[in-house]
Amino acid sequence: MSGPAGDRLRRAIGLWTDAVQRYALAVVLAALALSAMAAVFAVGTLVIDSDTREMIAADVDFRRNDAAFVRAFPRFENTILAVIEGPTPERAEDAAARLAARLEDEPALFRHVYRPGGEAFFRRNGLLFLDVDALSRMADRLAAAQPLLAALAADPSLRGFFDVLAAALSRGDPGDARAIVPILDAVTDVVDAANAGRPRNLSWQALLGGEPPDGSGTRRFVIAQPVLDYTSLEPAVAALDRLRGLAAELGIDAGNGLRLRLSGTAALDQEELESAKLGGRSAGLLSFALVSILLVMGLRSVVLVLATVATLVMGLIWTAAFAALAVGQLNLISVAFAVLFIGIGVDFGIHVSLRYREERAGHGERTAAIRRTVVAVAGALGLAASSAAAGFFSFLPTDYRGLAELGLIAGVGMAFALVANLTVLPALLALLPMAPPRRGAVAEPSRSIRLVQRHARAVLAVAAAFGIAGLAAVPLARFDFNTINLKDPDTESVATFLELADDPDVPVYTADILVADPDAADRLVGRLEALPEVGRLLTLASFVPADQDDKLQIIDDMAIFLDPVVAASATAAPVDAAARRAAHERLDGRLAAITAGVGPLPAAAGRLKAALDGLVGRGDGETALADLEGRLMAFLPTALDRLGAALGAGPVALADLPAGLRERWVSPDGRVRVEVHPNSGVTDTAALRRFAEAVLAVAPNATGTPVILSEAGAAVVTAFKQATAIAFVLIAIILIAVLRRVDHVVLVLAPLALAAVLTVATAVLFGLPFNFANVIVLPLLLGLGVSSGIHLVIRLREEGEGGRVLASSTPRAVLFSALTTAAAFGSLIASGHRGMVSMGQLLSISIGYTLVAMLVVLPALMTVMSGRRAPPP
């Protein structure tokens, strides 16, 4: 600021600095006491709110719709999905049932537990949910297997089983051959598993019912809603640990041929929180270490480094205390305020310290040097702090609450950084002895700066060319709103989620719509069915089987030849070793007799014979046969029981559906849920957005993962555009108001605009999308980058001639400020958390371009705009 007002301000700053030096010890002690109290308050007050829903303002339409749905169906909120896989459907089903029962006994940790398909209703009426053709094929299989089942019902032992197989092989009927080949293959698989030391049981359910060949029929689910603690970074850890502990107690592990994996929103969020916690800690430590190293290199003085770091730490503590007082809690984005403060706050200290070093080199006396330093840099620091704060505050009016809170904390933090560097740092410099640097240590522009000056117009031409090319790429920038892409794909919850997302029968990306009653649901379904983006539609009525008359007729026909089998099923009578050995010898003879033939049956017989020979030929053959009996026959009684229950199916009406199922589709006040599935996989963001937009066009109150992700992404993009515009306008107003010269405002903003354009263009070139985490980069770039330009331009106004500016300590301060900021933000790349990594990547790119713009393009602009002749080489 020039003129009388500027003179008065500089005199006031000089008097302030004199007072700080006079009472330096008291100032430092007061700052330490304040920092200690602030630290205690921050540690005792500040908590973490890890609820990701709160990242967007609650009054946005999609948040209101989601809140209304959660109120109607609270048990869908924040669930754990336990995926249990076993070698057979029976093993998986049994494990899921036992786990669900144990979870229900833990109400302090699990509010609700649900096992899809676990109700007796589905065991009794399961056949009605097959389509007519599939049910007919199953009836044909069971009809062909009826003799086998009848014989086994009378003698459910290895002897009975092997004798039935031998008899079927003896008949030589082509129909029997087609029916027996799958049985021989299934038995061979069991024997091969035993030979390989990985015993498994024969699945009669798969054998008789025709389980899917891809193995998905051996997968079962348990859905549990945990009690969460949002005051910590581990809100679901107690429930997740207890679930895993119960599974271990129940033997649901690899040792028993079972596999448990956890996913669902609660597990996904918890693993991301753990990743963010570890990543933030490692990034913070790495950031502090790198910044300290660069300070040593840049300041070349232990005293200056210690004073700068101490001032930085105090400012950080004050900022944390403000966060505790103003917002009381940090979200997953605002928790990064510490890294941002370190990256920006250290810049102020660098400019003060290097200017002090320059003043000591030029004049020597400490007290006068400190006074001249503070008076010289206070204006630039104040303007830089105001501009950086404007960049942070630009998110306050937007709906992106996560960044708005970060902006508030970091913006106020700039004020603390300014106060600390104009008070605490001068006091520390007054107390700490430092020998004056060699006089004239900084004397002239560096060789690189002289080169830029000589070729200033060529530099500007190249910069303009890159800027124009970058502008062409800006429209190609994309925003990835799918938060699953910010999570580590190698974690259990994410890997499981991605696997399930590829299964069209698992509702991962579905939309939910709340309607007034069943009639309204039917009308809505009619409209949604016309959308090409929509696939399956489900309501409670969807669980009333279609074509019941035809299906019941098939079931009645099955009952005619299967009821006697089911009714005659008995417990296996004890069979001795001799009986098992004799049965094996009879079967072995029949297998040997037909293996010489050609075709599927001889091939299947040959495989089974070889497997059995290997089993009984090693060690104790009688023990092996006894164990095989258990493996082959264990699930037969269960299969016959399930079959008997299914043969008793009758007509099903809406009123017959079980209460547990109704509670997931009809709210207590009678409103109805409509679940909308996409017509194909929607794992890419474009398809996800098209699906969400199509559903919202018909049902504006729709919610669910695709809608929330799509609408949250739109809200964040809007917030990003608003914040960028607000930041640019505010910074421009601040610069115009303070600098009062259009050419100097252009000197500050033009290189900054170039850096912003090139940052976006580079992101496009290397396929780096913007996302919920790194969207802060451009508004932050405006606040960060303008600081370097301000220091150079204000030094220009002070010196009055571009060459002397570039020969001063200011370019070095700009360089090391940018390097320390890049080190602080670049450390995020090593965090391991994908969101932090993407933020670190784009911030590093933007700071790199800012450095080039300020130390190459801005000096060229200064040279051209000042009309100065290029210096001699």
Side-chain angles (χ1 to χ4, degrees), residues 68-76 112 514-517 540 659 661-673:
F69 179 79
V70 168
R71 285 193 298 271
F73 295 98
R75 62 186 55 195
F76 284 94
H112 301 285
L514 198 59
V515 296
D517 51 52
L540 181 63
L661 182 64
R662 295 180 66 86
E663 290 172 354
R664 302 182 71 81
W665 294 93
V666 180
S667 69
D669 60 3
R671 286 179 294 172
V672 174
R673 176 169 75 100

Side-chain angles (χ1 to χ4, degrees), residues 707-852:
V707 173
I708 291 173
L709 291 178
S710 178
E711 291 298 286
V716 171
V717 169
T718 300
F720 159 72
K721 293 177 180 178
Q722 291 173 344
T724 302
I726 292 171
F728 188 85
V729 170
L730 286 178
I731 291 171
I733 291 173
I734 293 171
L735 293 176
I736 292 171
V738 176
L739 298 180
R740 298 183 180 181
R741 283 186 56 175
V742 174
D743 57 339
H744 284 180
V745 173
V746 171
L747 280 175
V748 174
L749 292 182
L752 196 57
L754 175 65
V757 168
L758 292 180
T759 297
V760 177
T762 301
V764 172
L765 180 63
F766 288 98
L768 300 174
F770 288 92
N771 54 51
F772 286 95
N774 65 24
V775 73
I776 193 177
V777 168
L778 286 187
L780 186 58
L781 169 63
L782 295 175
L784 290 175
V786 74
S787 174
S788 299
I790 287 170
H791 285 288
L792 288 168
V793 169
I794 288 185
R795 192 65 187 264
L796 171 67
R797 292 160 71 98
E798 178 185 340
E799 300 290 348
E801 195 261 322
R804 292 169 60 190
V805 173
L806 301 174
S808 70
S809 64
T810 303
R812 180 181 179 85
V814 168
L815 171 63
F816 277 93
S817 294
L819 291 177
T820 53
T821 303
F825 295 158
S827 65
L828 294 171
I829 298 175
S831 70
H833 181 269
R834 286 183 136 193
M836 291 185 181
V837 169
S838 69
M839 185 188 296
Q841 288 172 334
L842 275 185
L843 281 170
S844 298
I845 291 170
S846 67
I847 293 170
Y849 282 129
T850 302
L851 186 60
V852 172

Side-chain angles (χ1 to χ4, degrees), residues 543-561:
F543 293 89
V544 177
D547 304 316
Q548 290 192 46
D549 290 341
D550 293 339
K551 295 175 183 177
L552 288 172
Q553 182 59 55
I554 296 172
I555 293 172
D556 288 343
D557 292 342
M558 292 167 60
I560 293 173
F561 59 83

Side-chain angles (χ1 to χ4, degrees), residues 344-677:
I344 302 172
V346 74
D347 294 355
F348 295 4
I350 288 173
H351 281 281
V352 172
S353 296
L354 283 180
R355 184 60 180 262
Y356 172 63
R357 189 171 180 271
E358 178 185 345
E359 295 291 344
R360 289 295 304 272
H363 303 283
E365 203 278 319
R366 179 169 60 180
T367 302
I370 293 175
R371 190 181 201 278
R372 285 192 299 269
T373 294
V374 176
V375 170
V377 302
L381 290 182
L383 188 54
S386 300
S387 299
F392 285 120
F393 289 153
S394 64
F395 273 99
L396 289 178
T398 70
D399 291 326
Y400 197 0
R401 180 183 166 190
L403 278 182
E405 290 183 356
L406 174 62
L408 175 64
I409 297 168
V412 173
M414 295 301 95
F416 289 132
L418 178 64
V419 171
N421 281 278
L422 295 183
T423 303
V424 178
L425 183 53
L428 288 171
L429 295 177
L431 292 174
L432 298 174
M434 185 186 84
R438 180 174 55 86
R439 185 178 295 273
V442 180
E444 60 180 12
S446 67
R447 183 176 301 176
S448 59
I449 292 293
R450 293 200 304 271
L451 183 64
V452 169
Q453 290 178 304
R454 285 198 306 272
H455 303 285
R457 295 187 183 280
V459 168
L460 294 181
V462 172
F466 274 100
I468 293 171
L471 283 173
V474 168
L476 302 177
R478 63 187 180 91
F479 184 87
D480 182 1
F481 60 80
N482 193 345
T483 55
I484 199 69
N485 295 330
L486 294 180
K487 305 178 191 294
D488 183 355
D490 295 326
T491 59
E492 177 185 80
S493 62
V494 177
T496 303
F497 178 91
L498 294 174
E499 178 184 314
L500 296 178
D502 289 332
D503 188 341
D505 293 326
V506 179
V508 172
Y509 287 119
T510 60
D512 288 303
I513 305 168
L514 198 59
V515 296
D517 51 52
D519 290 338
D522 291 340
R523 292 192 297 271
L524 178 62
V525 166
R527 296 197 301 274
L528 291 170
E529 284 177 336
L531 299 177
E533 296 85 0
V534 171
R536 187 168 55 166
L537 290 155
L538 295 178
T539 65
L540 181 63
S542 303
F543 293 89
V544 177
D547 304 316
Q548 290 192 46
D549 290 341
D550 293 339
K551 295 175 183 177
L552 288 172
Q553 182 59 55
I554 296 172
I555 293 172
D556 288 343
D557 292 342
M558 292 167 60
I560 293 173
F561 59 83
L562 289 176
D563 272 345
V565 173
V566 175
S569 61
T571 303
V575 177
D576 59 23
R580 293 191 198 96
R581 187 171 57 253
H584 168 251
E585 291 173 353
R586 290 191 293 272
L587 176 61
D588 184 69
R590 291 309 309 154
L591 292 171
I594 63 172
T595 53
V598 177
L601 182 57
R607 289 192 296 271
L608 178 55
K609 177 174 172 48
L612 287 171
D613 288 346
L615 182 68
V616 299
R618 60 181 178 86
D620 187 351
E622 293 185 354
T623 300
L625 287 175
D627 180 71
L628 180 62
E629 180 177 53
R631 299 289 176 187
L632 293 176
M633 311 308 295
F635 293 145
L636 178 61
T638 301
L640 293 177
D641 287 345
R642 290 176 64 94
L643 183 58
L647 293 176
V652 174
L654 196 62
D656 299 320
L657 298 179
L661 182 64
R662 295 180 66 86
E663 290 172 354
R664 302 182 71 81
W665 294 93
V666 180
S667 69
D669 60 3
R671 286 179 294 172
V672 174
R673 176 169 75 100
V674 178
E675 186 176 87
V676 188
H677 294 235

Side-chain angles (χ1 to χ4, degrees), residues 83-88 92 215 218-220 257-261 499:
V83 182
I84 301 171
E85 294 166 307
T88 63
T218 62
R219 187 169 61 203
R220 297 293 184 268
L258 295 165
R259 183 187 186 193
L260 171 71
R261 291 181 294 166
E499 178 184 314

Side-chain angles (χ1 to χ4, degrees), residues 48-60 62-64 66-67 70 77-78 230 269 329-334 398-406 708 712 716 772:
I48 305 295
D49 180 4
S50 53
D51 188 353
T52 55
R53 297 173 307 168
E54 299 301 322
M55 303 290 275
I56 305 293
D59 59 352
V60 178
F62 82 89
R63 284 289 315 276
R64 287 198 297 265
D66 181 55
V70 168
E77 183 183 29
N78 291 321
Y230 284 121
D269 290 346
Q329 58 190 18
L330 300 175
N331 58 57
L332 290 180
I333 292 181
S334 63
T398 70
D399 291 326
Y400 197 0
R401 180 183 166 190
L403 278 182
E405 290 183 356
L406 174 62
I708 291 173
V716 171
F772 286 95

